[in-house]
Amino acid sequence: MKKNSVRALTEGAIMVAAAQILGYLVLYRLPWGGSVCLSMLPIMIYAHRWGVKNGLLAGLVFGLLQYIGDNGIAISWVSMLGDYLVAFGVLGLSGVCHGKKNGLFVGSLVGGVARFLVHYVVGATVWGEYMPETFFGMTMTTPWFYSLLYNASYMVPSIALCLLVEALLWKPMNRYLTGADLAA
């Protein structure tokens, strides 16, 4: 048991570091935060391998590093907690399908959607007062619609990109991705 907890902690630290590095390789970045990149991927894989509890902790640490190391954008302590600690923390929900067929993909979708929902609510309730008159050529009338468009514009491509990379890694790294190597 002790061997596995040391291994989980070590692997968690490596995955958080990998996520932080991938966070710097951005395809595009929005002006008020949010970007399309693969930074969620290591946390999703880690959560699937080690479960929700370890995944939540890794996501929380990653969120803190994102805020500190990536010059996080926050207008209040609520947006800092919501957009960083909670939003990245819920990536740990990617472990809900651990051990299930296609669990990595379903779990990654769960974790990604959970992160989107946190950003969506924080965007509408905290950032809503900064809503522009128009966004993507559409007139904005409600902060809920603006937050939906804004957050979906980077979260949907990021989730799709993570799922694509997981699919590409599935055949050569199946044993590692599913955590089957932990039983050995």
Side-chain angles (χ1 to χ4, degrees), residues 85-134:
L85 299 181
V86 177
F88 286 97
V90 297
L91 284 175
L93 294 176
S94 298
V96 297
C97 297
H98 173 70
K100 306 276 193 272
K101 184 176 179 176
N102 296 320
L104 175 65
F105 304 106
V106 174
S108 293
L109 194 57
V110 168
V113 168
R115 179 178 166 207
F116 164 76
L117 289 173
V118 172
H119 286 307
Y120 172 62
V121 171
V122 171
T125 57
V126 176
W127 290 93
E129 65 185 274
Y130 299 98
M131 178 180 72
E133 300 261 334
T134 60

mmCIF file of all heavy atoms in Angstrom, residues 85-134:
data_model
loop_
_atom_site.group_PDB
_atom_site.id
_atom_site.type_symbol
_atom_site.label_atom_id
_atom_site.label_comp_id
_atom_site.label_asym_id
_atom_site.label_seq_id
_atom_site.Cartn_x
_atom_site.Cartn_y
_atom_site.Cartn_z
ATOM 1 N N LEU A 85 -9.060 27.293 -8.856
ATOM 2 C CA LEU A 85 -9.038 26.157 -7.936
ATOM 3 C C LEU A 85 -10.178 25.177 -8.195
ATOM 4 O O LEU A 85 -9.957 23.973 -8.323
ATOM 5 C CB LEU A 85 -9.055 26.649 -6.494
ATOM 6 C CG LEU A 85 -7.853 27.523 -6.093
ATOM 7 C CD1 LEU A 85 -7.947 27.928 -4.633
ATOM 8 C CD2 LEU A 85 -6.550 26.832 -6.373
ATOM 9 N N VAL A 86 -11.397 25.685 -8.285
ATOM 10 C CA VAL A 86 -12.540 24.783 -8.486
ATOM 11 C C VAL A 86 -12.562 24.241 -9.915
ATOM 12 O O VAL A 86 -12.700 23.032 -10.129
ATOM 13 C CB VAL A 86 -13.879 25.488 -8.153
ATOM 14 C CG1 VAL A 86 -15.061 24.567 -8.438
ATOM 15 C CG2 VAL A 86 -13.900 25.937 -6.695
ATOM 16 N N ALA A 87 -12.386 25.126 -10.901
ATOM 17 C CA ALA A 87 -12.481 24.688 -12.302
ATOM 18 C C ALA A 87 -11.431 23.645 -12.658
ATOM 19 O O ALA A 87 -11.738 22.648 -13.316
ATOM 20 C CB ALA A 87 -12.360 25.893 -13.234
ATOM 21 N N PHE A 88 -10.201 23.847 -12.224
ATOM 22 C CA PHE A 88 -9.176 22.854 -12.526
ATOM 23 C C PHE A 88 -9.282 21.666 -11.585
ATOM 24 O O PHE A 88 -8.943 20.546 -11.946
ATOM 25 C CB PHE A 88 -7.780 23.479 -12.480
ATOM 26 C CG PHE A 88 -7.504 24.353 -13.672
ATOM 27 C CD1 PHE A 88 -7.673 25.724 -13.595
ATOM 28 C CD2 PHE A 88 -7.095 23.803 -14.867
ATOM 29 C CE1 PHE A 88 -7.433 26.535 -14.693
ATOM 30 C CE2 PHE A 88 -6.857 24.605 -15.977
ATOM 31 C CZ PHE A 88 -7.024 25.978 -15.889
ATOM 32 N N GLY A 89 -9.760 21.908 -10.383
ATOM 33 C CA GLY A 89 -9.945 20.808 -9.433
ATOM 34 C C GLY A 89 -10.924 19.761 -9.936
ATOM 35 O O GLY A 89 -10.681 18.561 -9.806
ATOM 36 N N VAL A 90 -12.027 20.214 -10.534
ATOM 37 C CA VAL A 90 -13.039 19.252 -10.991
ATOM 38 C C VAL A 90 -12.571 18.397 -12.159
ATOM 39 O O VAL A 90 -13.242 17.432 -12.527
ATOM 40 C CB VAL A 90 -14.398 19.930 -11.338
ATOM 41 C CG1 VAL A 90 -15.009 20.582 -10.124
ATOM 42 C CG2 VAL A 90 -14.261 20.901 -12.493
ATOM 43 N N LEU A 91 -11.406 18.716 -12.718
ATOM 44 C CA LEU A 91 -10.845 17.817 -13.740
ATOM 45 C C LEU A 91 -10.611 16.431 -13.154
ATOM 46 O O LEU A 91 -10.585 15.433 -13.869
ATOM 47 C CB LEU A 91 -9.523 18.376 -14.292
ATOM 48 C CG LEU A 91 -9.632 19.522 -15.275
ATOM 49 C CD1 LEU A 91 -8.240 20.040 -15.618
ATOM 50 C CD2 LEU A 91 -10.380 19.113 -16.520
ATOM 51 N N GLY A 92 -10.465 16.378 -11.828
ATOM 52 C CA GLY A 92 -10.293 15.096 -11.149
ATOM 53 C C GLY A 92 -11.484 14.170 -11.304
ATOM 54 O O GLY A 92 -11.381 12.960 -11.096
ATOM 55 N N LEU A 93 -12.633 14.726 -11.682
ATOM 56 C CA LEU A 93 -13.815 13.888 -11.922
ATOM 57 C C LEU A 93 -13.611 12.989 -13.139
ATOM 58 O O LEU A 93 -14.419 12.098 -13.389
ATOM 59 C CB LEU A 93 -15.057 14.758 -12.105
ATOM 60 C CG LEU A 93 -15.488 15.552 -10.867
ATOM 61 C CD1 LEU A 93 -16.667 16.461 -11.199
ATOM 62 C CD2 LEU A 93 -15.832 14.613 -9.724
ATOM 63 N N SER A 94 -12.521 13.208 -13.851
ATOM 64 C CA SER A 94 -12.192 12.331 -14.982
ATOM 65 C C SER A 94 -11.980 10.894 -14.528
ATOM 66 O O SER A 94 -12.017 9.967 -15.335
ATOM 67 C CB SER A 94 -10.927 12.829 -15.695
ATOM 68 O OG SER A 94 -11.133 14.114 -16.229
ATOM 69 N N GLY A 95 -11.772 10.693 -13.243
ATOM 70 C CA GLY A 95 -11.565 9.352 -12.725
ATOM 71 C C GLY A 95 -12.828 8.596 -12.383
ATOM 72 O O GLY A 95 -12.761 7.470 -11.885
ATOM 73 N N VAL A 96 -14.000 9.169 -12.640
ATOM 74 C CA VAL A 96 -15.259 8.505 -12.257
ATOM 75 C C VAL A 96 -15.489 7.194 -12.997
ATOM 76 O O VAL A 96 -16.213 6.338 -12.508
ATOM 77 C CB VAL A 96 -16.505 9.418 -12.437
ATOM 78 C CG1 VAL A 96 -16.436 10.625 -11.548
ATOM 79 C CG2 VAL A 96 -16.703 9.822 -13.878
ATOM 80 N N CYS A 97 -14.891 7.017 -14.143
ATOM 81 C CA CYS A 97 -15.106 5.808 -14.930
ATOM 82 C C CYS A 97 -13.894 4.895 -14.907
ATOM 83 O O CYS A 97 -13.702 4.078 -15.815
ATOM 84 C CB CYS A 97 -15.462 6.176 -16.369
ATOM 85 S SG CYS A 97 -16.995 7.091 -16.499
ATOM 86 N N HIS A 98 -13.078 5.014 -13.885
ATOM 87 C CA HIS A 98 -11.880 4.178 -13.746
ATOM 88 C C HIS A 98 -12.282 2.703 -13.788
ATOM 89 O O HIS A 98 -13.205 2.274 -13.113
ATOM 90 C CB HIS A 98 -11.183 4.494 -12.425
ATOM 91 C CG HIS A 98 -10.050 3.583 -12.120
ATOM 92 N ND1 HIS A 98 -8.880 3.625 -12.829
ATOM 93 C CD2 HIS A 98 -9.906 2.597 -11.203
ATOM 94 C CE1 HIS A 98 -8.067 2.706 -12.356
ATOM 95 N NE2 HIS A 98 -8.660 2.071 -11.371
ATOM 96 N N GLY A 99 -11.597 1.945 -14.632
ATOM 97 C CA GLY A 99 -11.859 0.507 -14.724
ATOM 98 C C GLY A 99 -13.003 0.131 -15.646
ATOM 99 O O GLY A 99 -13.279 -1.052 -15.834
ATOM 100 N N LYS A 100 -13.685 1.082 -16.218
ATOM 101 C CA LYS A 100 -14.801 0.799 -17.131
ATOM 102 C C LYS A 100 -14.306 0.806 -18.576
ATOM 103 O O LYS A 100 -13.332 1.461 -18.912
ATOM 104 C CB LYS A 100 -15.895 1.857 -16.980
ATOM 105 C CG LYS A 100 -16.389 2.060 -15.568
ATOM 106 C CD LYS A 100 -17.442 1.050 -15.229
ATOM 107 C CE LYS A 100 -18.186 1.398 -13.964
ATOM 108 N NZ LYS A 100 -17.628 0.923 -12.745
ATOM 109 N N LYS A 101 -15.026 0.084 -19.430
ATOM 110 C CA LYS A 101 -14.706 0.090 -20.851
ATOM 111 C C LYS A 101 -14.907 1.513 -21.382
ATOM 112 O O LYS A 101 -15.928 2.152 -21.105
ATOM 113 C CB LYS A 101 -15.605 -0.889 -21.607
ATOM 114 C CG LYS A 101 -15.251 -1.000 -23.059
ATOM 115 C CD LYS A 101 -16.076 -2.036 -23.774
ATOM 116 C CE LYS A 101 -15.650 -2.040 -25.224
ATOM 117 N NZ LYS A 101 -16.289 -3.041 -26.001
ATOM 118 N N ASN A 102 -13.950 2.007 -22.119
ATOM 119 C CA ASN A 102 -13.941 3.381 -22.636
ATOM 120 C C ASN A 102 -14.009 4.417 -21.513
ATOM 121 O O ASN A 102 -14.423 5.541 -21.732
ATOM 122 C CB ASN A 102 -15.069 3.613 -23.647
ATOM 123 C CG ASN A 102 -14.915 2.757 -24.881
ATOM 124 O OD1 ASN A 102 -13.804 2.577 -25.381
ATOM 125 N ND2 ASN A 102 -16.003 2.195 -25.364
ATOM 126 N N GLY A 103 -13.619 4.017 -20.321
ATOM 127 C CA GLY A 103 -13.696 4.896 -19.153
ATOM 128 C C GLY A 103 -12.829 6.133 -19.269
ATOM 129 O O GLY A 103 -13.191 7.196 -18.767
ATOM 130 N N LEU A 104 -11.680 6.001 -19.938
ATOM 131 C CA LEU A 104 -10.802 7.162 -20.090
ATOM 132 C C LEU A 104 -11.505 8.254 -20.881
ATOM 133 O O LEU A 104 -11.490 9.426 -20.495
ATOM 134 C CB LEU A 104 -9.495 6.759 -20.788
ATOM 135 C CG LEU A 104 -8.540 7.905 -21.109
ATOM 136 C CD1 LEU A 104 -8.027 8.564 -19.836
ATOM 137 C CD2 LEU A 104 -7.388 7.407 -21.964
ATOM 138 N N PHE A 105 -12.163 7.868 -21.960
ATOM 139 C CA PHE A 105 -12.816 8.848 -22.828
ATOM 140 C C PHE A 105 -14.050 9.447 -22.161
ATOM 141 O O PHE A 105 -14.240 10.663 -22.178
ATOM 142 C CB PHE A 105 -13.178 8.212 -24.176
ATOM 143 C CG PHE A 105 -11.988 7.602 -24.856
ATOM 144 C CD1 PHE A 105 -11.827 6.226 -24.908
ATOM 145 C CD2 PHE A 105 -11.014 8.399 -25.430
ATOM 146 C CE1 PHE A 105 -10.720 5.666 -25.525
ATOM 147 C CE2 PHE A 105 -9.897 7.842 -26.047
ATOM 148 C CZ PHE A 105 -9.757 6.482 -26.090
ATOM 149 N N VAL A 106 -14.867 8.603 -21.568
ATOM 150 C CA VAL A 106 -16.070 9.096 -20.887
ATOM 151 C C VAL A 106 -15.674 9.959 -19.694
ATOM 152 O O VAL A 106 -16.216 11.043 -19.471
ATOM 153 C CB VAL A 106 -16.974 7.920 -20.439
ATOM 154 C CG1 VAL A 106 -18.142 8.419 -19.605
ATOM 155 C CG2 VAL A 106 -17.472 7.150 -21.646
ATOM 156 N N GLY A 107 -14.684 9.490 -18.919
ATOM 157 C CA GLY A 107 -14.227 10.251 -17.770
ATOM 158 C C GLY A 107 -13.642 11.595 -18.167
ATOM 159 O O GLY A 107 -13.882 12.616 -17.511
ATOM 160 N N SER A 108 -12.876 11.623 -19.250
ATOM 161 C CA SER A 108 -12.304 12.889 -19.723
ATOM 162 C C SER A 108 -13.403 13.848 -20.154
ATOM 163 O O SER A 108 -13.316 15.057 -19.911
ATOM 164 C CB SER A 108 -11.344 12.639 -20.885
ATOM 165 O OG SER A 108 -10.223 11.931 -20.437
ATOM 166 N N LEU A 109 -14.433 13.309 -20.766
ATOM 167 C CA LEU A 109 -15.577 14.142 -21.146
ATOM 168 C C LEU A 109 -16.267 14.689 -19.896
ATOM 169 O O LEU A 109 -16.603 15.878 -19.839
ATOM 170 C CB LEU A 109 -16.544 13.324 -21.997
ATOM 171 C CG LEU A 109 -17.609 14.080 -22.761
ATOM 172 C CD1 LEU A 109 -16.995 15.110 -23.693
ATOM 173 C CD2 LEU A 109 -18.464 13.115 -23.554
ATOM 174 N N VAL A 110 -16.438 13.855 -18.873
ATOM 175 C CA VAL A 110 -17.053 14.294 -17.611
ATOM 176 C C VAL A 110 -16.217 15.399 -16.967
ATOM 177 O O VAL A 110 -16.735 16.444 -16.568
ATOM 178 C CB VAL A 110 -17.235 13.099 -16.639
ATOM 179 C CG1 VAL A 110 -17.587 13.577 -15.238
ATOM 180 C CG2 VAL A 110 -18.302 12.150 -17.162
ATOM 181 N N GLY A 111 -14.903 15.174 -16.862
ATOM 182 C CA GLY A 111 -14.023 16.174 -16.260
ATOM 183 C C GLY A 111 -14.003 17.476 -17.046
ATOM 184 O O GLY A 111 -14.040 18.565 -16.472
ATOM 185 N N GLY A 112 -13.933 17.371 -18.372
ATOM 186 C CA GLY A 112 -13.917 18.564 -19.220
ATOM 187 C C GLY A 112 -15.215 19.347 -19.143
ATOM 188 O O GLY A 112 -15.206 20.579 -19.047
ATOM 189 N N VAL A 113 -16.332 18.640 -19.160
ATOM 190 C CA VAL A 113 -17.639 19.312 -19.065
ATOM 191 C C VAL A 113 -17.806 19.945 -17.680
ATOM 192 O O VAL A 113 -18.329 21.055 -17.558
ATOM 193 C CB VAL A 113 -18.796 18.335 -19.396
ATOM 194 C CG1 VAL A 113 -20.139 18.920 -19.025
ATOM 195 C CG2 VAL A 113 -18.754 17.961 -20.876
ATOM 196 N N ALA A 114 -17.332 19.269 -16.645
ATOM 197 C CA ALA A 114 -17.409 19.839 -15.292
ATOM 198 C C ALA A 114 -16.608 21.139 -15.219
ATOM 199 O O ALA A 114 -17.072 22.135 -14.644
ATOM 200 C CB ALA A 114 -16.903 18.836 -14.260
ATOM 201 N N ARG A 115 -15.424 21.138 -15.808
ATOM 202 C CA ARG A 115 -14.623 22.377 -15.818
ATOM 203 C C ARG A 115 -15.348 23.470 -16.591
ATOM 204 O O ARG A 115 -15.409 24.622 -16.152
ATOM 205 C CB ARG A 115 -13.251 22.107 -16.439
ATOM 206 C CG ARG A 115 -12.411 23.364 -16.485
ATOM 207 C CD ARG A 115 -11.031 23.157 -17.053
ATOM 208 N NE ARG A 115 -10.465 24.467 -17.342
ATOM 209 C CZ ARG A 115 -9.560 24.701 -18.252
ATOM 210 N NH1 ARG A 115 -9.056 23.718 -18.963
ATOM 211 N NH2 ARG A 115 -9.123 25.922 -18.463
ATOM 212 N N PHE A 116 -15.906 23.122 -17.752
ATOM 213 C CA PHE A 116 -16.665 24.102 -18.529
ATOM 214 C C PHE A 116 -17.805 24.692 -17.706
ATOM 215 O O PHE A 116 -18.025 25.904 -17.697
ATOM 216 C CB PHE A 116 -17.225 23.469 -19.812
ATOM 217 C CG PHE A 116 -18.301 24.298 -20.437
ATOM 218 C CD1 PHE A 116 -17.991 25.446 -21.143
ATOM 219 C CD2 PHE A 116 -19.635 23.951 -20.290
ATOM 220 C CE1 PHE A 116 -18.993 26.239 -21.698
ATOM 221 C CE2 PHE A 116 -20.642 24.726 -20.839
ATOM 222 C CZ PHE A 116 -20.320 25.882 -21.548
ATOM 223 N N LEU A 117 -18.549 23.836 -17.004
ATOM 224 C CA LEU A 117 -19.698 24.322 -16.224
ATOM 225 C C LEU A 117 -19.269 25.295 -15.119
ATOM 226 O O LEU A 117 -19.960 26.291 -14.871
ATOM 227 C CB LEU A 117 -20.477 23.149 -15.628
ATOM 228 C CG LEU A 117 -21.254 22.310 -16.634
ATOM 229 C CD1 LEU A 117 -21.853 21.073 -15.965
ATOM 230 C CD2 LEU A 117 -22.338 23.145 -17.315
ATOM 231 N N VAL A 118 -18.130 25.020 -14.487
ATOM 232 C CA VAL A 118 -17.635 25.946 -13.461
ATOM 233 C C VAL A 118 -17.295 27.293 -14.098
ATOM 234 O O VAL A 118 -17.702 28.352 -13.607
ATOM 235 C CB VAL A 118 -16.416 25.366 -12.719
ATOM 236 C CG1 VAL A 118 -15.784 26.404 -11.801
ATOM 237 C CG2 VAL A 118 -16.820 24.131 -11.914
ATOM 238 N N HIS A 119 -16.554 27.280 -15.207
ATOM 239 C CA HIS A 119 -16.218 28.528 -15.901
ATOM 240 C C HIS A 119 -17.480 29.254 -16.361
ATOM 241 O O HIS A 119 -17.561 30.478 -16.289
ATOM 242 C CB HIS A 119 -15.325 28.255 -17.112
ATOM 243 C CG HIS A 119 -13.920 27.909 -16.776
ATOM 244 N ND1 HIS A 119 -13.118 28.680 -15.975
ATOM 245 C CD2 HIS A 119 -13.155 26.849 -17.157
ATOM 246 C CE1 HIS A 119 -11.915 28.128 -15.878
ATOM 247 N NE2 HIS A 119 -11.925 26.999 -16.577
ATOM 248 N N TYR A 120 -18.457 28.495 -16.824
ATOM 249 C CA TYR A 120 -19.717 29.076 -17.306
ATOM 250 C C TYR A 120 -20.437 29.832 -16.195
ATOM 251 O O TYR A 120 -20.841 30.980 -16.373
ATOM 252 C CB TYR A 120 -20.594 27.953 -17.882
ATOM 253 C CG TYR A 120 -21.998 28.364 -18.236
ATOM 254 C CD1 TYR A 120 -22.245 29.322 -19.210
ATOM 255 C CD2 TYR A 120 -23.092 27.787 -17.603
ATOM 256 C CE1 TYR A 120 -23.535 29.690 -19.543
ATOM 257 C CE2 TYR A 120 -24.383 28.142 -17.925
ATOM 258 C CZ TYR A 120 -24.597 29.102 -18.898
ATOM 259 O OH TYR A 120 -25.885 29.468 -19.212
ATOM 260 N N VAL A 121 -20.572 29.207 -15.039
ATOM 261 C CA VAL A 121 -21.269 29.848 -13.918
ATOM 262 C C VAL A 121 -20.481 31.052 -13.404
ATOM 263 O O VAL A 121 -21.054 32.120 -13.175
ATOM 264 C CB VAL A 121 -21.548 28.829 -12.787
ATOM 265 C CG1 VAL A 121 -22.060 29.517 -11.538
ATOM 266 C CG2 VAL A 121 -22.543 27.775 -13.258
ATOM 267 N N VAL A 122 -19.182 30.894 -13.245
ATOM 268 C CA VAL A 122 -18.353 32.023 -12.784
ATOM 269 C C VAL A 122 -18.394 33.148 -13.822
ATOM 270 O O VAL A 122 -18.499 34.329 -13.461
ATOM 271 C CB VAL A 122 -16.897 31.577 -12.505
ATOM 272 C CG1 VAL A 122 -15.998 32.770 -12.240
ATOM 273 C CG2 VAL A 122 -16.852 30.613 -11.331
ATOM 274 N N GLY A 123 -18.350 32.794 -15.082
ATOM 275 C CA GLY A 123 -18.394 33.801 -16.141
ATOM 276 C C GLY A 123 -19.682 34.603 -16.127
ATOM 277 O O GLY A 123 -19.672 35.824 -16.300
ATOM 278 N N ALA A 124 -20.792 33.934 -15.911
ATOM 279 C CA ALA A 124 -22.086 34.628 -15.924
ATOM 280 C C ALA A 124 -22.316 35.435 -14.649
ATOM 281 O O ALA A 124 -22.881 36.528 -14.691
ATOM 282 C CB ALA A 124 -23.217 33.623 -16.112
ATOM 283 N N THR A 125 -21.874 34.920 -13.517
ATOM 284 C CA THR A 125 -22.172 35.581 -12.247
ATOM 285 C C THR A 125 -21.124 36.609 -11.835
ATOM 286 O O THR A 125 -21.469 37.640 -11.277
ATOM 287 C CB THR A 125 -22.324 34.543 -11.110
ATOM 288 O OG1 THR A 125 -21.133 33.770 -11.015
ATOM 289 C CG2 THR A 125 -23.520 33.642 -11.367
ATOM 290 N N VAL A 126 -19.856 36.334 -12.113
ATOM 291 C CA VAL A 126 -18.793 37.239 -11.673
ATOM 292 C C VAL A 126 -18.328 38.151 -12.809
ATOM 293 O O VAL A 126 -18.200 39.359 -12.632
ATOM 294 C CB VAL A 126 -17.595 36.444 -11.105
ATOM 295 C CG1 VAL A 126 -16.457 37.368 -10.729
ATOM 296 C CG2 VAL A 126 -18.030 35.606 -9.911
ATOM 297 N N TRP A 127 -18.083 37.569 -13.964
ATOM 298 C CA TRP A 127 -17.552 38.331 -15.093
ATOM 299 C C TRP A 127 -18.648 38.989 -15.931
ATOM 300 O O TRP A 127 -18.351 39.756 -16.846
ATOM 301 C CB TRP A 127 -16.726 37.424 -15.998
ATOM 302 C CG TRP A 127 -15.433 36.981 -15.403
ATOM 303 C CD1 TRP A 127 -15.209 35.833 -14.695
ATOM 304 C CD2 TRP A 127 -14.187 37.668 -15.440
ATOM 305 N NE1 TRP A 127 -13.903 35.762 -14.302
ATOM 306 C CE2 TRP A 127 -13.253 36.876 -14.748
ATOM 307 C CE3 TRP A 127 -13.781 38.881 -16.001
ATOM 308 C CZ2 TRP A 127 -11.926 37.254 -14.597
ATOM 309 C CZ3 TRP A 127 -12.458 39.247 -15.862
ATOM 310 C CH2 TRP A 127 -11.550 38.449 -15.155
ATOM 311 N N GLY A 128 -19.906 38.709 -15.653
ATOM 312 C CA GLY A 128 -21.018 39.215 -16.463
ATOM 313 C C GLY A 128 -21.050 40.719 -16.625
ATOM 314 O O GLY A 128 -21.465 41.227 -17.663
ATOM 315 N N GLU A 129 -20.600 41.442 -15.619
ATOM 316 C CA GLU A 129 -20.640 42.907 -15.707
ATOM 317 C C GLU A 129 -19.662 43.449 -16.753
ATOM 318 O O GLU A 129 -19.751 44.604 -17.145
ATOM 319 C CB GLU A 129 -20.377 43.537 -14.351
ATOM 320 C CG GLU A 129 -18.998 43.301 -13.801
ATOM 321 C CD GLU A 129 -18.837 43.852 -12.392
ATOM 322 O OE1 GLU A 129 -18.521 45.050 -12.281
ATOM 323 O OE2 GLU A 129 -19.059 43.091 -11.440
ATOM 324 N N TYR A 130 -18.736 42.626 -17.211
ATOM 325 C CA TYR A 130 -17.766 43.036 -18.232
ATOM 326 C C TYR A 130 -18.175 42.564 -19.623
ATOM 327 O O TYR A 130 -17.368 42.615 -20.555
ATOM 328 C CB TYR A 130 -16.370 42.498 -17.889
ATOM 329 C CG TYR A 130 -15.876 43.034 -16.579
ATOM 330 C CD1 TYR A 130 -15.983 42.277 -15.412
ATOM 331 C CD2 TYR A 130 -15.335 44.308 -16.485
ATOM 332 C CE1 TYR A 130 -15.553 42.773 -14.199
ATOM 333 C CE2 TYR A 130 -14.900 44.813 -15.268
ATOM 334 C CZ TYR A 130 -15.011 44.039 -14.136
ATOM 335 O OH TYR A 130 -14.581 44.537 -12.930
ATOM 336 N N MET A 131 -19.404 42.117 -19.747
ATOM 337 C CA MET A 131 -19.914 41.606 -21.016
ATOM 338 C C MET A 131 -19.884 42.720 -22.075
ATOM 339 O O MET A 131 -20.371 43.820 -21.834
ATOM 340 C CB MET A 131 -21.355 41.121 -20.805
ATOM 341 C CG MET A 131 -22.030 40.616 -22.043
ATOM 342 S SD MET A 131 -23.720 40.053 -21.703
ATOM 343 C CE MET A 131 -24.565 41.598 -21.435
ATOM 344 N N PRO A 132 -19.307 42.433 -23.254
ATOM 345 C CA PRO A 132 -19.300 43.443 -24.324
ATOM 346 C C PRO A 132 -20.666 43.547 -24.998
ATOM 347 O O PRO A 132 -21.526 42.689 -24.812
ATOM 348 C CB PRO A 132 -18.249 42.899 -25.296
ATOM 349 C CG PRO A 132 -18.292 41.421 -25.094
ATOM 350 C CD PRO A 132 -18.612 41.210 -23.636
ATOM 351 N N GLU A 133 -20.819 44.583 -25.763
ATOM 352 C CA GLU A 133 -22.080 44.782 -26.514
ATOM 353 C C GLU A 133 -22.270 43.679 -27.555
ATOM 354 O O GLU A 133 -23.368 43.183 -27.737
ATOM 355 C CB GLU A 133 -22.066 46.143 -27.213
ATOM 356 C CG GLU A 133 -21.936 47.322 -26.294
ATOM 357 C CD GLU A 133 -23.261 47.960 -26.013
ATOM 358 O OE1 GLU A 133 -24.178 47.840 -26.844
ATOM 359 O OE2 GLU A 133 -23.371 48.570 -24.934
ATOM 360 N N THR A 134 -21.162 43.333 -28.228
ATOM 361 C CA THR A 134 -21.215 42.270 -29.233
ATOM 362 C C THR A 134 -20.062 41.297 -28.996
ATOM 363 O O THR A 134 -18.999 41.679 -28.506
ATOM 364 C CB THR A 134 -21.099 42.818 -30.675
ATOM 365 O OG1 THR A 134 -19.862 43.494 -30.811
ATOM 366 C CG2 THR A 134 -22.253 43.738 -31.011
#
